[in-house]
Amino acid sequence: MSKRYGRHDSPAVRHLDLAVRRGELVALVGPSGCGKSTILRMVNRLVEPTGGRVVVDGRDTARTDAVALRRGIGYVIQAGGLMPHRTVRQNIATVPKLLGWDPALTRRRGDELLELVGLDPWAHGDRYPAQLSGGQQQRVGVARALAADPPVLLMDEPFGAVDPVVRDRLQGEFRRIQRELRKTVLFVTHDLDEAVRIADRVAVFSTGGVLEQIADPATLLSAPASEFVVDFVGSDRGLRRLAVTPIRAEDLERPLVLAPGDGAAYAATALELDGRPWAVVLDGSGRLLGWVPRGALLAARGNRAARVGDHVREFGTRIGAHEDLRSAFSALLAQELRFLPVLAGEEFLGVLTPDVVHTALRRGLPPA
Ligand code: ADP
C-alpha cells in the first residue's frame, strides 16, 4: 500500500508490502514522521490509501463499509482517547452499544474487561476519565478497544503518555493479556525497548514508510539488516539483547555438587580438583540447600567429624529458569557473590555467572 497526503508531497508511505499473521503482535518502530501512524490508520481506513490494498482476514478493506470495519478493529491511542463526559463503563460500552448488545451483557462484559486490565469495576466503573490516573486511563483505553472482542487491535503509542514505571507495568500486563487473548496486533511505538519487549516481530521503518527490516526481537538486535537498522537499534544493542535472551540450561555452569553429609576433608579435596572456590549443596532429594566456600572446608579438614552440612550458606537470591538474562544479570550484579543458582521449580539446573551471560549473548551472533 502507499499513501501520499498532498499531490505535491513526497509519499508518507511508498509501496509497503507487509503481512501480519493471525494472533501475532508486530511492533512498528522508526523515527518520528517515518509513516508509522499512517500505516496503522490505513488499516482501519482513518486514512485512505492512495495506492494498493489492505486485506484483513481475506477481505479487501476498501470494499468494506468503513464504519463497520472500524467496529471490528480495536483502536487504542495515547492517553486512552476516552470521552471525558462518559463514565468508564460508558466508554467501554461504546462499541457494544453501537452493535446493539443487551445492556446487562454489555455491563458484565465491561466489568470483566476492567478486571482483565487490572481495575476494580466497583471502584472505577462509574468514575469519569479525569478522576483516573494516566495509567488507569490507558488501561480503560485497552479495555474499550477489547470490548466487542475484535480479532484485530491497532495501538498507536498506547503507553506513550505515562511515566516509565507505569509504562513498564502496563507493558508487562499487556503481554500477559496478549498471551491469553492472542489478538492480531499492530503496535506503533518510538520506543525500541518497548517494541522488543512486547512484540513477536519488530518492523523497523525509515522515512517514507520504507520497511528496513522485520524480524523477531533477538534477530533484529543480533543481525540488523542495514546501516539504518544498525543506527536505529543503537550501539548498546548488546545490552538490549539481554532482555530478549532466555536462560538456557546448557549455558549454565555445572559446579561440583556436595551433600550435607559429605566429610569436609573429602569435599575440600574434591573442590581442589574441581578448581572452583565453592560448591553447591543439594540434599538427598535434590533440593538446593546453599553453597560452601572452599576456605571453610580447608579450615575444617583436620576435624574428622566435620561435615559439609556444618558450613552451608544460603543463597539470598535464586533465579527462575523462565526469567530473561536481563533480570537474571541484574540480580547477579545486585549481590556480592559472582554466581547465582537457577531453578526450574525446585529442580537445580546450574549456576549463572558473568561468563554464562557472555556465552549466552554471544550465541546467535553472526560470526565476525
Ligand atoms: P509517524 O507516525 O512515524 O511519526 P506519520 O505517519 O504521522 O509518521 O507521518 C508520516 C508523514 O506524513 C510525515 O511527513 C507527516 O508530516 C505526514 N502526514 C501525516 N499526517 C498527515 C496529514 N493528515 N496531512 C498531511 N501530511 C501528513
Side-chain angles (χ1 to χ4, degrees):
M1 59 192 179
S2 317
K3 175 67 186 178
R4 191 189 287 270
Y5 280 101
R7 241 199 300 158
H8 304 291
D9 294 351
S10 50
V13 177
R14 67 179 86 205
H15 308 305
L16 170 64
D17 190 356
L18 176 68
V20 178
R21 302 172 194 131
R22 190 186 304 268
E24 181 183 40
L25 194 158
V26 173
L28 313 183
V29 299
S32 174
C34 71
K36 304 180 294 292
S37 296
T38 300
I39 294 165
L40 201 70
R41 289 155 156 243
M42 284 197 276
V43 177
N44 64 1
R45 292 184 58 189
L46 285 173
V47 167
E48 295 287 354
T50 42
R53 300 192 304 154
V54 178
V55 177
V56 176
D57 203 11
R59 292 176 64 183
D60 186 338
T61 56
R63 300 208 184 132
T64 313
D65 172 60
V67 176
L69 177 74
R70 270 171 233 149
R71 282 180 199 160
I73 298 180
Y75 187 44
V76 188
I77 58 174
Q78 205 171 87
L82 303 176
M83 290 174 279
H85 304 300
R86 302 253 177 102
T87 65
V88 165
R89 279 200 178 96
Q90 288 166 343
N91 264 287
I92 295 176
T94 309
V95 174
K97 207 168 159 191
L98 288 170
L99 294 173
W101 285 24
D102 168 64
L105 172 70
T106 304
R107 187 183 166 99
R108 213 165 46 238
R109 170 82 182 146
D111 287 3
E112 263 173 35
L113 283 166
L114 281 174
E115 280 173 14
L116 180 72
V117 299
L119 290 175
D120 177 358
W122 298 106
H124 301 106
D126 295 320
R127 291 201 193 171
Y128 290 90
Q131 297 171 306
L132 301 176
S133 72
Q136 290 171 335
Q137 289 180 28
Q138 204 59 76
R139 287 162 199 259
V140 178
V142 172
R144 187 180 60 174
L146 292 170
D149 202 18
V152 177
L153 277 187
L154 304 177
M155 306 181 79
D156 197 344
E157 297 271 3
F159 309 140
V162 294
D163 66 69
V165 175
V166 176
R167 189 183 320 165
D168 187 70
R169 195 171 325 133
L170 287 174
Q171 288 164 356
E173 288 179 9
F174 184 66
R175 272 216 304 200
R176 172 185 57 77
I177 292 172
Q178 170 62 3
R179 264 201 300 274
E180 201 176 305
L181 302 183
R182 280 277 148 213
K183 300 290 179 189
T184 305
V185 187
L186 279 179
F187 189 112
V188 167
T189 176
H190 65 273
D191 178 352
L192 181 66
D193 290 312
E194 177 167 85
V196 299
R197 180 157 183 223
I198 67 163
D200 299 308
R201 286 192 298 163
V202 179
V204 181
F205 293 91
S206 57
T207 306
V210 176
L211 180 60
E212 296 280 341
Q213 184 171 12
I214 179 163
D216 64 87
T219 305
L220 182 80
L221 294 175
S222 56
S226 66
E227 277 306 307
F228 180 88
V229 181
V230 169
D231 278 350
F232 188 75
V233 298
S235 50
D236 55 352
R237 67 177 189 268
L239 282 176
R240 293 199 150 111
R241 289 181 58 229
L242 283 171
V244 299
T245 307
I247 293 176
R248 289 212 205 155
E250 67 261 31
D251 289 336
L252 299 175
E253 268 192 47
R254 305 298 166 92
L256 176 67
V257 170
L258 296 170
D262 289 339
Y266 155 77
T269 308
L271 257 183
E272 270 173 346
L273 290 174
D274 177 72
R276 287 186 190 80
W278 47 271
V280 163
V281 184
L282 304 184
D283 74 7
S285 53
R287 221 164 42 89
L288 178 70
L289 297 178
W291 63 284
V292 279
R294 185 172 59 198
L297 297 172
L298 285 174
R301 97 198 292 184
N303 173 0
R304 294 192 51 190
R307 300 279 156 232
V308 165
D310 307 331
H311 300 281
V312 177
R313 318 202 167 172
E314 278 186 30
F315 286 106
T317 312
R318 298 159 172 227
I319 297 171
H322 59 276
E323 288 180 39
D324 61 56
L325 270 187
R326 183 170 182 262
S327 45
F329 193 35
S330 166
L332 185 61
L333 293 176
Q335 53 143 36
E336 214 174 306
L337 287 183
R338 293 166 147 265
F339 53 98
L340 268 181
V342 178
L343 291 102
E346 285 293 302
E347 186 197 353
F348 170 73
L349 297 181
V351 299
L352 185 90
T353 65
D355 270 355
V356 169
V357 174
H358 190 256
T359 308
L361 274 185
R362 296 300 305 170
R363 201 221 349 264
L365 283 184

